[in-house]
Structures are given as structure tokens and as C-alpha cells.
Amino acid sequence: MTPTRNRFKRILLKVGGESMMGERSYGIDPRAVLKVAKQIKKIYAIHTQVAIVIGGGNIFRGIAGAKNGIDRATGDYMGMLATVMNGLALQDTLEKLGVPTRMQTALSMPAVAESFIRRRAIRHMEKGRVVILAAGTGVPYVTTDTGASLHALELKCDVLMKATKVDGVFTKDPTKYEGAKRYKTLNFKDAIEKKAIQVMDTSALAMSQENNMPVMVFELFKNSNLVKAVKGEDIGTYLASDVKTELAK
Ligand code: UDP
């Protein structure tokens, strides 16, 4: 691969299931998947090594199943299978755009995808293939945020990028409160202590903090944000252990 002048050479991109459903209230909208894939193609085109952890919340979450009487662990496995459906949709769409991919799953299903093998995933990225990681961690009681944090560490990514619907981390939910302010930078300690701030699961944050894996949170579809993030431009919210918590001006 051509050497890159981007700030981040290898990234772990967490794409929530909701990005796959567009205006629908449930499931997969192929137009939404195409929008996601087009953003990913842009960073593939500038020689970024990319691993994607795909969520499944647009189809099923174990915690919601538990509220309706499904055993929590069973529901979580159903949620993991939902991420595989999203992964396949994203793989298909990326390849139609000419982006080479490999999908690996944390739950073995060899007829569908490769099983997750760390060194192999790294090799795929080195060869310029976008790696889609589905089924989260392969175990229940956690979410794909934790999977993203784990995979970012073991695949030696430079940063974990979490694509969301809002442009970063806010003091309160910006979709509900007008006065919500965006953090430009956020120290992990503050992110964990201020429970009102919704960034990621506490386990995912704690793992990122303990292992010094910076996290960027931003809106995927806004102004080529993903390319800007890879190039190191100041967008969304940047979380790390060595930054002061500051609001955006
Ligand atoms: N899940 C799990 N273990 C994992 C990852 C996911 O049990 O390592 C289950 C869990 O039920 C979760 C669902 O899969 O709610 C879908 O993932 P998630 O909620 O993280 O999707 P997102 O919110 O990113 O769309």
C-alpha cells in the first residue's frame, strides 16, 4: 500500500446498527447502508487501514428481549446474530462500490464468514482489505462498544472512532435539550464519572482508558467527517487520558 500522510494509519470504526436503518424504525434500509459504505470508501481511497465493528441495535438488543421475557443471554446471542446480518449487508454494499473486504465473526459460522483471527485480520488490513467484525465479542452481557474497544486494542489501531447520529459528546442529549453543549475534548476520567454523558458503555470506556486507546465520537454523515477524522482535523469529540475536558467554542 502507498504510504499515508494521514494522522491515523489504522482505525477501528464502530458503526451502530441505527446507521443501517435510515428513516425506518427497524431493520436494514439498503440506501442507508449505501450511505455508510460511501463514507468508508472515502477513507479506503486515502489508504487508511480500516476495521469496522458493526452493531445490531436496528434489529435486536438482548436487553430489550429480556424486558419481553427472553432470557438475557439468549437475547444477547440474538443481538450478536443481528450484527452478522448488518455485517453481510455492509460487506455486499462495500464490494459493489469496489472496496475489497473480509468479514470475520466472533461466533464461528464458517459458511458465512471467516472466524475472528487477530493476526489474519491485521494481515487483511495490511493488504488493503476493509475488515468487518461481527458478533461483537462473542459473549453475552456486553455490547458492540466493548467489542470495538477490545478489537481496537488487539488489532493495534491508532484510534477508536465511534460514528453516531449527533456530532460528538454533549453535556446533555442534544436531540432533547436545546442548551446541550458539545465537548471538544473529554478526559476519560470525566466521561466515566459523569454518568449523564452518554459516550459508550462504561466497560468500553474503562478498557480504552486503561490501555490509552483514544476515542473519537462524531457524526458519520456530516461533511466528510470520517475523512477529516482520519486526517486529524478537529471534529466531534476527542477522548483520551492526556487531554483536559473542554467544551467546543
Ligand atoms: N451483543 C452481545 N455481545 C457482544 C456484542 C453484542 O451480547 O459482544 C448483543 C447485545 O444484546 C447487544 C446486541 O448484540 O445489545 C446488538 O449490539 P449493540 O447493542 O451493541 O448494537 P448497536 O447499539 O451498536 O447498534
Side-chain angles (χ1 to χ4, degrees), residues 56-119:
N58 54 322
I59 301 170
F60 199 85
R61 284 199 176 99
I63 216 156
K67 283 187 191 137
N68 293 304
I70 297 177
D71 174 75
R72 171 69 195 268
T74 304
D76 280 339
Y77 282 107
M78 291 164 69
M80 287 183 251
L81 294 179
T83 72
V84 177
M85 286 201 256
N86 282 335
L88 287 172
L90 185 59
Q91 177 172 46
D92 182 74
T93 311
L94 278 169
E95 298 226 322
K96 285 194 177 120
L97 293 178
V99 179
T101 67
R102 291 291 186 275
M103 181 156 116
Q104 296 196 342
T105 53
L107 294 171
S108 286
M109 45 185 92
V112 174
E114 292 177 4
S115 294
F116 177 72
I117 298 174
R118 187 181 77 89
R119 292 173 63 116

Side-chain angles (χ1 to χ4, degrees), residues 1-107:
M1 264 180 120
T2 322
T4 154
R5 274 197 218 132
N6 301 329
R7 173 171 178 201
F8 301 115
K9 290 192 174 68
R10 181 180 296 164
I11 68 156
L12 189 299
L13 177 66
K14 160 74 206 286
V15 178
E18 284 187 0
S19 312
M20 310 288 276
M21 70 184 182
E23 299 304 309
R24 297 184 188 186
S25 55
Y26 170 86
I28 300 173
D29 177 351
R31 285 167 306 179
V33 184
L34 182 62
K35 271 176 81 183
V36 174
K38 281 184 174 165
Q39 300 302 322
I40 295 164
K41 185 177 178 173
K42 287 186 197 168
I43 53 165
Y44 160 78
I46 56 167
H47 308 289
T48 316
Q49 294 187 20
V50 192
I52 301 162
V53 166
I54 184 86
N58 54 322
I59 301 170
F60 199 85
R61 284 199 176 99
I63 216 156
K67 283 187 191 137
N68 293 304
I70 297 177
D71 174 75
R72 171 69 195 268
T74 304
D76 280 339
Y77 282 107
M78 291 164 69
M80 287 183 251
L81 294 179
T83 72
V84 177
M85 286 201 256
N86 282 335
L88 287 172
L90 185 59
Q91 177 172 46
D92 182 74
T93 311
L94 278 169
E95 298 226 322
K96 285 194 177 120
L97 293 178
V99 179
T101 67
R102 291 291 186 275
M103 181 156 116
Q104 296 196 342
T105 53
L107 294 171

